[in-house]
Amino acid sequence: MVEVLSGPTGRGSYSGALLEVENLQVEFHTRQGVAKAVNGVTYSVNPGETLAVLGESGSGKSVTAQTIMGILDMPPGRVAGGAIRFRGVDILKLPEEQRRRIRGEGISMVFQDALSALNPVFPVGWQIAEMFRIHRGSSRSDAKKKAVELMDRVRIPGARDRVNDFPHQFSGGMRQRIMIAMAIALDPEILIADEPTTALDVTVQAQIMGLLADLQRDSNMGLILITHDLGVVADVADKIAVMYGGRIVETAPVHDLYRNPAHPYTKGLLESIPRVDLKGQELYAIKGMPPNLLEMPSGCAFHPRCPYRREDCATAVPPLYPISGTRGSACHYWREVVDGSR
Amino acid sequence: MAPAESILEVRDLVKHFPLTQGIVFKRQIGAIKAVDGVSFDLRRGETLGVVGESGCGKSTLAKVMMALERPTSGSVKVNGRDITKAKGAELKHMRRNIQMVMQDPYTSLNPRMTVGDIVGEPFEIHSEVLPKGGRRKRVQELLDVVGLNPDHINRYPHQFSGGQRQRIGIARGLALQPEVIICDEPVSALDVSIQAQVMNLLDRLQKEFNLAYIFIAHDLSVVRHISDRVAVMYLGKIVELGGDSQIYDRPSHPYTQALLSAVPVPNPEGREARERIILQGDPPSPANPPSGCRFRTRCWKAQDICAKEEPLLQIRPGTDHLSACHFAEALDVVHVQS
Ligand SMILES: Nc1ncnc2c1ncn2[C@@H]1O[C@H](COP(=O)(O)OP(=O)(O)OP(=O)(O)O)[C@@H](O)[C@H]1O
Ligand SMILES: Nc1ncnc2c1ncn2[C@@H]1O[C@H](COP(=O)(O)OP(=O)(O)OP(=O)(O)O)[C@@H](O)[C@H]1O
Ligand code: SF4
Ligand SMILES: [Mg+2]
Ligand SMILES: [Mg+2]
């Protein structure tokens, strides 16, 4: 078991998906009560594959990612159940010392608030070089050389001259590229990118997404892209996991999901996108509000907003029903959703 | 369709922020040219969308139109009277007619005020509009109009979700029955499933009250849905202005073309074949914009003339609408399939 994790030589010696999250449960103990932020999340990623995790604010996308990375705030957070297998080994069971080795080299992450994550008082080159000094024990000059290479790789113009510049001297898009440089510094097998372009303009977003795609192609990384942008997802995802109220409500290959969604929430999202041919008409809108974690609706969490609901939706929690080998929907009435009858 | 009469006329509007150095003795060492010569009309009952990258001056434009900032030069005429020169009672009176809905529903409402106080505050400021006795009832009517429960008048903002808070902001904007509402990124902070609700509300209110909107947003498909005309801004200037299909189907300015082609399409079919214009570099600083055409440093069409001569916003041989490019040429970059 342990050799499987011992550095790059161990790569490839496992069967199954590179990263598998299975029935993960994470809760927060707050003064108002216990909030089940993640309540049964299952997804997997393979080398070279892009999994998009879609869902509204507060649905548990980032908390799942933080748990995979082993950086969850504990307390108030607590993993209440499930497994996270990296190359077949449940990393939730590993001692911190071994998890630290996986962080950065095995699984790495670009954070949601990346733009503020750089330390303002150190030059960016120094911050990148630090990765090599700490994890690889590189010498100062060696680490700096590698930092310049990386800045080149993420297309910072004139990297050699800018390695001593401070974060505020870079634009938002460039700082995001520097964060990506730090995340890929140790050549991880899995990169989790949490809303990597949300704060950026569309023209810069296009640059960053192009960069991520190239990096992924070069090193065959598995990519978990967390976003709520249905356009970005359609552009880059191989497969999609849709989250709602702490659960995965639908998983599907990208084309299937857009062509024929199998969960009422996914379907509502897709229908509420403004379309040119519907200009001047009322937009389809999912009625009601996203759920409050502390007062999660009984049964299917989506039932108060759902046009397909029947009586049992308020009492029976729908499991992730398998639709085919690669698709699943957590809706009791997924057949009707797929058939398009409402 | 005969052009409706203009309710707002913006002419050669300029807003420069001084760039200073030194802590004790501040010296001006330059200026941030946030808005740098902007002209357009807004007609009664129409929606003008404003798009452009972060920092191009959209919010500054909005603030100057609201008379929250004084312009460096230029004018903003509301029903023929220049709001930028108005003072005292006249300014107060003019402000009734032009209201704003802010971007962030989480910070733009005072947490210590009840919803009733927030929505009713305009009546306190403009006490001549409605006698005190009728205010509570009017506030409840306004809450009802925007789809909130009138019984929740005594609740505080934190007891509402983001979408509901945005409705509170809209109800407040409607209180004085303005003719113009400036919406600065009204749905950006909201979940996709809530955005459509707020968009529909804005649409409905426009028809009901014949409101004119300036709709600032970075989501180009949202802007297209709601706008009759669209202005594209780059570094403090409007570079292209036209009807929604003129801008989206026949964009003629290279910047507009790049912007539209960069928008991800929410449909994976044929994604491999999609062509993109990926702009190199970042927008230059508004403190030191390039000579001639401000877009030339990132433009693939740039020639010598672009550095020498500023392209004016006008109808050009290759276009049927206003474009500020020497080489304007309509090009369908999005190829919308519908
Ligand atoms: N440290 C914490 N303490 C208490 N609750 C937390 C903590 N971190 C997250 N939560 C709660 O867990 C839930 C899920 O949060 P998470 O950040 O995963 O949402 P998300 O899907 O990433 O949303 P967004 O799209 O807004 O980033 C939220 O309701 C959040 O308030
Ligand atoms: N009060 C101010 N003092 C100095 N500079 C300012 C001030 N307000 C805005 N600016 C500058 O003016 C320029 C235009 O800013 P503005 O907020 O209008 O942009 P925007 O188009 O609304 O951007 P965003 O899409 O990010 O909201 C920016 O460079 C900004 O830094
Ligand atoms: S389980 Fe019921 S309530 Fe939930 S999505 Fe399906 S039909 Fe709607
Ligand atoms: Mg998040
Ligand atoms: Mg702004």
Side-chain angles (χ1 to χ4, degrees):
Chain A
M1 278 269 182
V2 180
E3 308 90 3
V4 181
L5 290 163
S6 59
T9 47
R11 291 184 181 194
S13 53
Y14 59 94
S15 63
L18 177 57
L19 179 76
E20 282 176 297
V21 178
E22 197 186 306
N23 195 23
L24 187 69
Q25 326 249 346
V26 181
E27 43 188 49
F28 289 101
H29 292 255
T30 67
R31 238 180 293 154
Q32 292 85 22
V34 176
K36 294 192 169 156
V38 175
N39 195 8
V41 165
T42 299
Y43 58 59
S44 67
V45 209
N46 275 309
E49 195 175 48
T50 299
L51 164 74
V53 180
L54 195 74
E56 49 206 87
S57 188
S59 61
K61 306 181 296 292
S62 297
V63 169
T64 305
Q66 287 158 9
T67 312
I68 295 171
M69 283 295 288
I71 51 165
L72 185 69
D73 268 343
M74 294 198 279
R78 188 178 86 86
V79 178
I84 299 173
R85 280 186 292 275
F86 178 57
R87 295 209 248 113
V89 177
D90 185 356
I91 56 177
L92 289 174
K93 299 210 168 79
L94 293 180
E96 175 55 26
E97 143 87 39
Q98 282 186 42
R99 290 207 75 175
R100 205 175 304 134
R101 286 238 301 279
I102 298 174
R103 252 193 314 271
E105 300 189 45
I107 310 171
S108 175
M109 180 159 166
V110 180
F111 295 95
Q112 184 163 8
D113 52 354
L115 295 184
S116 52
L118 285 167
N119 191 327
V121 303
F122 293 105
V124 297
W126 186 90
Q127 295 186 52
I128 301 174
E130 192 71 355
M131 299 287 295
F132 296 106
R133 285 195 295 271
I134 292 175
H135 285 265
R136 296 270 158 88
S138 306
S139 71
R140 248 166 200 285
S141 64
D142 226 29
K144 190 159 173 180
K145 216 171 83 204
K146 290 211 181 92
V148 174
E149 278 170 27
L150 265 175
M151 284 170 72
D152 253 341
R153 225 175 132 203
V154 296
R155 303 185 203 134
I156 304 280
R160 190 172 305 278
D161 303 324
R162 305 215 57 182
V163 64
N164 292 324
D165 284 358
F166 290 86
H168 73 267
Q169 292 168 286
F170 293 88
S171 70
M174 283 178 166
R175 283 199 300 251
Q176 187 64 297
R177 272 175 269 175
I178 289 161
M179 292 306 300
I180 292 173
M182 289 173 68
I184 61 165
L186 305 176
D187 201 12
E189 290 171 84
I190 302 262
L191 178 66
I192 305 175
D194 193 354
E195 308 266 7
T197 59
T198 304
L200 304 174
D201 287 313
V202 285
T203 56
V204 183
Q205 168 175 302
Q207 294 171 352
I208 300 281
M209 293 314 301
L211 171 68
L212 280 175
D214 290 350
L215 294 172
Q216 188 184 21
R217 193 164 356 94
D218 294 348
S219 58
N220 205 31
M221 240 169 15
L223 178 64
I224 300 179
L225 179 71
I226 300 175
T227 177
H228 55 251
D229 187 324
L230 289 154
V232 170
V233 173
D235 247 357
V236 302
D238 296 311
K239 59 186 192 184
I240 300 170
V242 183
M243 291 190 69
Y244 189 86
R247 285 174 196 277
I248 301 285
V249 293
E250 175 162 8
T251 55
V254 63
H255 290 282
D256 293 333
L257 186 118
Y258 281 81
R259 237 181 254 146
N260 202 355
H263 192 280
Y265 171 66
T266 320
K267 188 167 176 155
L269 274 189
L270 290 172
E271 282 175 1
S272 61
I273 301 172
R275 289 212 329 248
V276 178
D277 51 325
L278 298 181
K279 188 178 156 81
Q281 299 179 35
E282 200 171 313
L283 286 171
Y284 175 79
I286 300 177
K287 57 180 191 179
M289 254 82 61
N292 175 344
L293 276 188
L294 294 169
E295 304 158 33
M296 203 48 97
S298 60
C300 169
F302 190 60
H303 87 259
R305 308 175 73 188
C306 182
Y308 289 86
R309 69 159 175 261
R310 309 237 181 107
E311 263 168 44
D312 56 341
C313 297
T315 49
V317 177
L320 193 66
Y321 295 106
I323 297 176
S324 71
T326 50
R327 297 197 65 176
S329 165
C331 169
H332 296 307
Y333 299 103
W334 64 266
R335 281 199 176 79
E336 287 170 36
V337 183
V338 170
D339 290 347
S341 54
R342 176 157 33 208
Chain B
M1 186 177 75
E5 114 203 53
S6 294
I7 181 161
L8 207 67
E9 288 168 16
V10 176
R11 291 293 175 272
D12 305 315
L13 200 64
V14 173
K15 177 68 192 178
H16 290 182
F17 293 104
L19 199 59
T20 54
Q21 206 174 45
I23 294 162
V24 184
F25 300 103
K26 283 208 167 78
R27 321 178 267 131
Q28 184 166 348
I29 54 161
I32 295 170
K33 296 167 180 156
V35 172
D36 209 16
V38 163
S39 301
F40 64 86
D41 285 3
L42 180 70
R43 298 163 197 156
R44 212 170 277 282
E46 84 162 341
T47 300
L48 176 72
V50 180
V51 300
E53 278 168 294
S54 183
C56 71
K58 305 181 295 294
S59 297
T60 305
L61 177 63
K63 284 183 200 140
V64 175
M65 287 191 287
M66 289 285 301
L68 296 174
E69 295 266 13
R70 290 269 163 194
T72 308
S73 62
S75 63
V76 178
K77 285 192 178 150
V78 186
N79 285 323
R81 280 161 44 203
D82 191 348
I83 195 171
T84 67
K85 306 237 161 50
K87 287 194 187 73
E90 191 194 11
L91 176 61
K92 192 173 152 190
H93 186 76
M94 288 178 79
R95 274 201 174 129
R96 270 173 52 181
N97 211 9
I98 169 163
Q99 294 287 320
M100 192 155 171
V101 175
M102 304 278 194
Q103 167 164 9
D104 189 349
Y106 298 94
T107 58
S108 60
L109 303 177
N110 184 337
R112 272 180 259 279
M113 285 166 76
T114 64
V115 169
D117 294 340
I118 291 170
V119 176
E121 193 179 37
F123 299 125
E124 299 289 328
I125 300 167
H126 301 271
S127 52
E128 72 286 1
V129 178
L130 195 69
K132 243 193 164 80
R135 286 182 198 161
R136 192 178 162 87
K137 185 157 164 288
R138 182 75 191 122
V139 167
Q140 289 189 314
E141 282 167 14
L142 284 164
L143 292 177
D144 190 47
V145 164
V146 299
L148 291 170
N149 186 342
D151 297 339
H152 291 172
I153 187 165
N154 291 325
R155 296 202 177 177
Y156 289 88
H158 75 262
Q159 293 171 288
F160 293 88
S161 71
Q164 289 174 322
R165 280 183 239 187
Q166 204 54 302
R167 285 167 195 264
I168 297 170
I170 293 169
R172 180 192 153 98
L174 286 173
L176 300 170
Q177 298 182 324
E179 291 175 287
V180 180
I181 296 190
I182 300 178
C183 304
D184 191 357
E185 307 263 9
V187 297
S188 311
L190 304 177
D191 272 321
V192 185
S193 79
I194 303 301
Q195 282 186 9
Q197 294 177 359
V198 173
M199 297 275 292
N200 286 342
L201 172 65
L202 288 171
D203 221 16
R204 200 189 84 219
L205 295 173
Q206 177 164 51
K207 293 192 182 108
E208 213 167 302
F209 301 107
N210 196 30
L211 296 167
Y213 289 142
I214 303 264
F215 191 91
I216 300 171
H218 66 259
D219 184 328
L220 287 128
S221 58
V222 164
V223 170
R224 175 165 206 177
H225 183 82
I226 200 160
S227 302
D228 302 299
R229 292 188 303 139
V230 176
V232 182
M233 284 186 76
Y234 187 81
L235 268 189
K237 284 187 183 291
I238 295 180
V239 296
E240 187 158 5
L241 177 65
D244 70 291
S245 56
Q246 290 176 323
I247 297 293
Y248 284 81
D249 298 336
R250 302 188 291 286
S252 70
H253 194 287
Y255 176 64
T256 312
Q257 292 166 356
L259 199 62
L260 286 172
S261 86
V263 177
V265 182
N267 180 352
E269 306 301 332
R271 64 184 183 184
E272 293 76 17
R274 218 165 279 153
E275 283 165 42
R276 285 268 150 87
I277 304 165
I278 304 260
L279 286 181
Q280 299 307 315
D282 295 298
S285 156
N288 192 13
S291 65
C293 172
R294 296 185 174 195
F295 185 59
R296 69 176 166 83
T297 52
R298 300 168 82 196
C299 183
W300 65 97
K301 278 184 159 179
Q303 307 278 327
D304 290 346
I305 183 178
C306 303
K308 291 192 196 109
E309 212 175 287
E310 181 179 334
L312 300 177
L313 184 66
Q314 61 193 34
I315 296 180
R316 290 164 186 272
T319 66
D320 55 359
H321 57 276
L322 302 172
S323 179
C325 169
H326 292 302
F327 304 102
E329 193 179 14
L331 176 70
D332 179 4
V333 286
V334 186
H335 316 294
V336 181
Q337 64 284 63
S338 57

